[in-house]
Amino acid sequence: MSLRRSVLTLSILGLCACFAAPVAAADGGTLGFVVREWYIALHESKFMDECPEGLTMGNDEIWWRSAPKDFRAKVTDNGLARSSIRYYEVMDRGKNGEDVCLNPTSIVDPPLRVVEGKIGYGHNIDGTQDGHATAKTCKHDKFQSPDGKKTDIDNQMARLVGCSFGWRKTGMIQLNGNEVRATSGYGMVLMEVTGVNEKDPRNSDNVTVTFYRSIDQFAMDSAGQPLPFSTYRIDTLDGKPRYSDSLKGKITNGVLTTERGDVRLPAYDNFNFGHPTIKDMAVTLEIAADGSAGKGMVSGYYDVEEFWYLTAGVGQVLQTGQFSCPAMYVAAHKLADGYPDPKTGECTHLSVGYNVKAYAAFVQHPDKERRQATR
Amino acid sequence: MSFLIPRAPARRQLLRAMFGGGAVTLALPFLDCYLNTNGSALAATGAPLPTRFGTWYWGMGHTPDHAIAEKRETSAGIGFLEETESLKPFGSKLSYFGNFMTPLDGKSNFAHFTGWVANRVGTPPGSGSDIPGTTLDLMIADVIGNASRFKTIDATAIGIASENYSARGTNSHGAAETSPISLYARIFGPEFVDPNKADFKPDPKIMLKKSVLSAFTEESQAFTKSLGASDKARLDEYFTAIRQVETQLALQLQKPPPNESCLVPPKVDEHVDNSNAGREMGQVIETHKIMSKLMAMAVACNQTRVFNMVFTDANGNVRRKGEAHTHHILTHEEAIDTKLGYQPLAFWFNKACMDGFATFLQTLDSIKEGDGTLLDNSLIFATSETNYARVHTVDGIPTYLAGRAGGKVKSGLHVIGNGDPITRIGFTVMRLLGVPLEKWGTNSLQTSKMITEILA
Amino acid sequence: MRRKFKDLPLRGVVLATALAVLTACGPKEPASEGGTPDLRRLTEEQYRNTIADVFGPTITYGGRFDPLQRTDGLIALGARTARVTPSGFEQYYALADSISAQVVDEAHRETLVACKPASATAADDACAQAFFGEIGRVLYRRPLTDGEIKTAVTAAHEVGTTTGDFYQGLAYGLAGMMTTPKFLFVVDATEPDPDHQGQVRLTSYAHASRLSFLLWNSAPDDMLLTAAEKGELYSKSGLEKQIERMVASPKVEGGVRAFFTDFLDLRKFETLQKDPVIYPAFNAKTGEDAKEQILRTITDHVATRDLDYRDLFTTRRTFLTPALARIYKVPAGRPDGGWTDYEFPDKDLRGGLLSQIGFLAVNAHPGRSSPTIRGRAIRETLLCQKVPDPPGNVDFSLFNDPDSPNKTARQRLTTHATNPTCAGCHKITDPIGLGLENFDGVGSLRMAENGEAIDPAGDLDGVAFKDPAGLAKAMRKSPAAPTCLVNRLYAYALGRPIETSDKDTVAYFQQVFARDGYRVPQLLRRIAGSDAFFKVRPPKADAATQAATNDSAPKENPS
């Protein structure tokens, strides 16, 4: 029975509720998750206090404001009305007609409006209390949690995009990425936790969390939510998992926390693929009592250029997302707080915290899959 | 062996002529013989309008004191309460029958079964699956249902084919249509002859089909010779069933009279048909809405004169989204809200059933026919299997008669049974529609008394 | 993948040995009085299997068949009293029309119509006669009489000539055959018994039908009909040769499936509904898979691997699809939706038929489990014990306090047990059903209900158990389980309820079933090879006419 061993280990998922059944060996257990939601953790208050100047101006808005009156007349509904033409007008406003998103330094736009509030979400990544510069980081401000208990949160990415319409709840950029991931199966991240204590899976001192990409789509219920305990296959290259970085960690009272380490992940945003490595990544995940889901935070340092590659390529969203490429590019470098360039001393990475939601899943390894296929 | 050759040379020539494109007039008899005698008529032809009979079923009865206001004696005017408020607009087109009893003479009350069987057959069942006779709709169909394409059409919005309250006995229990698509196909599929189509051309293949069927049927008669008496009776029923198909084929060969009430409904789309999606009340309501329209048109287009429509079944298998229990379980297990005085969720279902009944009546009433509506020319017998589902009472099963059977009955009455057997209602209905009965029912359920108060 | 029967030990030497053993030693079959000859309406499955056997799997058709009444625990017994309603016949007619049109269409005529007409645009009586002779023999399950051939050929001739289409003629004739009672009803045709003055026996062809509907749930094939024609089924050796051949055929899986579908009342799946809000993982596909899982587990266990029937209640081997795996909370072998075999670990609470989603979900409410329904299903279906219906006037709400502290089903049902009206029956069902409370309304494992730990202890007829695995073992040991199977299989095979006069015969089969190690295929062989299986007596009232006028086929070969 090829599946038998994994069954033994995986069956704890069903048992971890509160009443563990007798299981033979310790530390042989496995938990699996498929990530459904992955959002930059933004604090969006009722009166938008975090953005006292309001939301930032978009590419389109800046272009329109700067357009001469006679030109404006041409591109109204009575004139040049096609949005695709307008789109290129907006994008190709570099000094020599360059695309300002692909060449964000070709012009200078008014500065990006970024988060000024104190409240934010994330982890303390640099280990400092005040965000002073270290060998690995640049000076930056810290956020505090809404209850004020934590005052050492790093999340410069949230500071960067938090006043841009497209990234907030109202916008499409994050929502689209998450929804397309759900419906297309692109950028599906699997998390497998091994070394779980089988006697008490909610308290395991020494676990390993490995990140894979799945080649299967979500199994959904009729309400469009992923069905827990579904099985997902790992994406492979030459018989080996295409992504398989892992982190050490532990589970305490049902909360998984990991140490920090570099993790390469599949990324998919608005029809744009990438595979960024999140440096010094760590995960905290609160596992539901019935083992069916987990909710938590992923944090680490995100390469500004990688961010820019994924952002500049998102197409129409550059217009509908309402942010200026040149302004954001400048701001991203200014806010970067991790990994200073040895030559310039300027930081190259942004600290980031993501809210994640994952569902219990069985991670099927390629060797098992092949055996199944030959039946 | 008498297939075509010695018996029907004329028919053969006729067929040849039809295939050869020759002009042929088919002189087939107008099969209609049971017509409304009160004089209302089809505008187009002047032919009198037929009376139609239908049953409408809902499971789990009423909520006592919250459905119909009590009365002491029979009189005009029905006191519709919260549960039945949607029936108010039809107050003048229906009558309510309360306080009629179902004495079981010592037989058990098989929950959710005895009630409808006794009510429709006139005899209580001896077991939880026994149907000890023919249901009243089929007795009526034997009289008025021979001139239409179908003797009866049965459909259920709850999607359980076997929960069809029409049978000729335990072992002669037809399946009801469960999906609007199949109901549409059965009635308005390729075999349907549109009475309002100018260019009527009988399909010559129909006659061939009819001849082949007759030949095989005739030859099969010999098969019965070797059988015992009870098996012979079973096959007699089989041959009777064949005759319905023969009638259908015959009707396809004659041009029906034009009928302005008959408007062929649009084809039922697959995405409209959610009958497979589950027995959730919202879906039942939608399915019932479509089925009602199809059924009403089947009647208006003279495809059938008798029909059975089930809204929810006698076992209350209907759910409400997010509720752990079906209507049935709720009637037993839900606590009574002391302020409201009833089980709120069970009441919600009961009310939804009455809303469904109102939708059904509205559908019939919206079809103009002669001086009135299809509802006016019909008699709808609407019942459940119990009075109060919580305790399975079969006494006082709520019963409605809707429509005026073309002027044969009075409506708008609340009729009090004073403990008389409930079979009086069925007996009256059957007599009104021409079933030659002197009495009906067995033992304490036997009756020979019509409810004269409702006779026009 | 599913294994074919032919790969497995049902064949060859094992089988021959089994048949030899069958007659060699052990108890002797007692004399049987037999039952009266019956007329059985083809079940939907039998209709579909026959059409598939005759015309192949590419003929497709929908259809709605009148429901059969479940009688004495079997739908098969409802067939002997089932009638045909007008709407039921209408369906048969439409089916015949649709099937016959496909048989002669361009895609099929090459393979399904053996002869070629002289001209496709005119009648060809010789070709039609050959066609109807061959097809009719399988549809009527005996050779056609001259009269029957003539009816079909004349019909085809007339239609072919009138329409100028030979194949149209064939189609109409075929449709005609398919609407006769000769096809739609299986008749126990009898003839005077030459060996026993004044008695009757089943005709040779009726022997063939009995065998094939029991073992294949379909009409006899050409070889079986040929054996019948030669009178071989009257001899023990000829009969055993056919049984051996039939049990070795992959079609026996259809027979085993049909019996267990009926025995376990898997028809319930047709109306199975779960609330999608409460059980989002359960949909129509899950229901279909759950039913198929039960049938796969059974056929694999009792037939393919020929194991002890009683072990079905404890076996950890089963088959899964991803939809089922999700509810079992185990990994699916194939994310593409297909089936894989699977074995639950040794100490798992799950194992055996009772812990399968199919059993657990069908015997539950749409949004909640039900120890009472489950207990009743075990008693009535698997142990053939009668549980009385609840009294008609019971008022359940009497003990349904809205502020009830009752969190678990056990607590709720304890209320029943303290009410003397209810206690009597609930004592019969609940102690068994509560043993499955670790499985919720769709069969997912749970250790608590509403935050309160579930106590799945109970007892089955005096055998105490402490969890579902214990209940499975108690079922495995229950003497009523194999007895029930024998009773039902015997009634199913004969197509009639067991009568008082069958007592000794049933006891005999129970005895040999135990001696044979509770092997179902062997029991099937024993029943199929027994005298009782074919024994009929004339109906009391018209015994004389029955013996004199039978509907058996002519002695001469009509084709």
Side-chain angles (χ1 to χ4, degrees), chain C residues 102-255:
Chain C
Q102 290 177 64
V103 168
V104 302
D105 69 17
E106 304 266 346
H108 291 103
R109 63 176 62 149
E110 202 68 32
T111 45
L112 296 179
V113 184
C115 59
K116 269 227 154 57
S119 157
T121 55
D124 181 334
D125 291 357
C127 181
Q129 175 161 343
F131 175 76
F132 291 124
E134 188 195 328
I135 299 289
R137 180 167 172 259
V138 189
L139 293 181
Y140 289 4
R141 300 170 285 270
R142 56 170 173 74
L144 270 55
T145 62
D146 288 347
E148 285 164 344
I149 289 267
K150 202 171 159 202
T151 303
V153 170
T154 314
H157 183 96
E158 280 303 311
V159 176
T161 308
T162 315
T163 59
D165 183 348
F166 167 76
Y167 289 104
Q168 183 92 61
L170 280 198
Y172 279 35
L174 178 58
M177 286 182 134
M178 290 177 61
T179 46
T180 64
K182 298 166 193 178
F183 169 58
L184 296 169
F185 286 88
V186 183
V187 64
D188 285 336
T190 57
E191 61 193 11
D193 186 344
D195 301 328
H196 300 90
Q197 188 65 35
Q199 291 188 25
V200 293
R201 66 174 187 183
L202 286 179
T203 63
S204 191
Y205 293 108
H207 272 72
S209 283
R210 281 226 158 168
L211 279 174
S212 94
F213 284 112
L214 171 63
L215 298 174
W216 290 347
N217 200 37
S218 186
D221 67 352
D222 176 61
M223 286 172 88
L224 187 57
L225 289 170
T226 304
E229 198 177 314
K230 292 184 184 154
E232 287 172 5
L233 302 180
Y234 290 126
S235 79
K236 263 288 183 252
S237 66
L239 177 64
E240 280 171 6
K241 203 174 124 199
Q242 285 303 317
I243 295 173
E244 179 183 350
R245 180 182 76 84
M246 293 175 77
V247 174
S249 154
K251 286 207 280 184
V252 81
E253 186 175 334

Side-chain angles (χ1 to χ4, degrees), chain B residues 84-158:
Chain B
T84 59
E85 63 184 9
S86 50
L87 293 177
K88 265 182 203 160
F90 303 97
S92 64
K93 295 207 174 190
L94 58 78
S95 290
Y96 175 76
F97 299 78
N99 302 69
F100 284 89
M101 300 295 153
T102 311
L104 303 178
D105 299 320
K107 282 189 187 169
S108 296
N109 175 5
F110 300 101
H112 304 286
F113 184 69
T114 289
W116 75 257
V117 175
N119 198 343
R120 293 188 177 208
V121 176
T123 304
S127 76
S129 60
D130 174 34
I131 305 174
T134 301
T135 51
L136 55 87
D137 58 295
L138 290 172
M139 304 205 11
I140 293 167
D142 285 341
V143 176
I144 70 168
N146 298 314
S148 53
R149 188 168 145 222
F150 301 98
K151 205 159 184 171
T152 65
I153 299 178
D154 308 337
T156 168
I158 192 124

Side-chain angles (χ1 to χ4, degrees), chain C residues 348-361:
Chain C
D348 207 292
L349 285 180
R350 218 177 288 257
L353 203 60
L354 301 183
S355 69
Q356 293 205 354
I357 291 170
F359 181 83
L360 296 164

Side-chain angles (χ1 to χ4, degrees), chain A residues 1 3-4 6-8 10 14-15 19 216 219 221-222 227-231 233 362 364 372 375, chain C residues 1 276 280-281 325-326 329-335 340-343 345-346 348 445 447-448 453:
Chain A
M1 254 342 283
L3 276 171
R4 211 174 143 159
S6 61
V7 167
L8 178 74
L10 284 160
L15 299 174
F19 308 94
D216 289 311
D221 67 18
S222 57
L227 288 165
F229 307 108
S230 299
T231 304
R233 287 170 297 175
F362 294 104
Q364 193 178 69
Q372 290 295 334
R375 277 172 198 284
Chain C
M1 297 311 301
R326 220 168 271 142
K329 296 181 184 168
V330 301
R334 284 169 43 176
T340 38
D341 50 358
Y342 183 82
E343 189 166 343
D346 287 339
D348 207 292
L445 187 69
M447 306 312 283

Side-chain angles (χ1 to χ4, degrees), chain C residues 4 63 89 145 171 217 292 307 311 314 320 331 344 361 374 381 402 417 419 429 431 439 446 451-452 491 494 509 520:
Chain C
K4 285 277 181 319
F89 182 77
T145 62
N217 200 37
E292 179 63 20
L307 296 174
D311 291 340
T314 51
L320 290 182
F344 283 100
R374 286 175 183 168
T381 308
N419 182 326
T429 53
F439 306 112
R446 58 174 181 182
E452 189 113 359
L494 271 63
F509 282 119
V520 173

Side-chain angles (χ1 to χ4, degrees), chain B residues 280-427:
Chain B
E280 183 269 314
M281 187 53 104
Q283 283 151 348
V284 169
I285 290 168
E286 282 311 306
T287 302
H288 171 257
K289 216 180 266 173
I290 306 168
M291 284 183 160
S292 297
K293 284 183 187 158
L294 295 174
M295 200 65 105
M297 262 314 148
V299 173
C301 297
N302 200 31
Q303 301 301 295
T304 190
R305 291 192 183 160
V306 179
F307 61 88
N308 294 291
M309 183 72 221
V310 174
F311 183 72
T312 58
D313 65 314
N315 300 311
N317 272 311
V318 61
R319 292 184 293 104
R320 179 174 158 172
K321 251 194 190 145
E323 285 297 332
H325 298 304
T326 58
H327 187 189
H328 170 226
I329 300 295
L330 285 168
T331 62
H332 294 313
E333 301 206 347
E334 190 187 4
I336 292 179
D337 181 315
T338 44
K339 252 189 216 154
L340 294 168
Y342 52 76
Q343 300 163 304
L345 274 171
F347 171 84
W348 180 88
F349 281 100
N350 287 354
K351 181 164 171 20
C353 290
M354 287 301 101
D355 294 352
F357 186 35
T359 303
F360 184 75
L361 295 178
Q362 175 57 41
T363 308
L364 294 188
D365 209 31
S366 67
I367 297 171
K368 297 274 165 264
E369 222 183 38
D371 300 336
T373 70
L374 181 59
L375 180 59
D376 297 331
N377 293 315
S378 305
L379 193 60
I380 309 299
F381 174 79
T383 55
S384 192
E385 76 290 337
T386 182
N387 171 16
Y388 186 26
R390 198 176 141 219
V391 287
H392 296 129
T393 44
V394 291
D395 284 330
I397 292 176
T399 307
Y400 297 87
L401 282 183
R404 298 197 184 99
K408 290 193 190 87
V409 302
K410 275 196 277 197
S411 46
L413 301 172
H414 182 153
V415 181
I416 300 299
N418 284 326
D420 283 358
I422 197 159
T423 39
R424 281 191 69 199
I425 309 171
F427 179 68

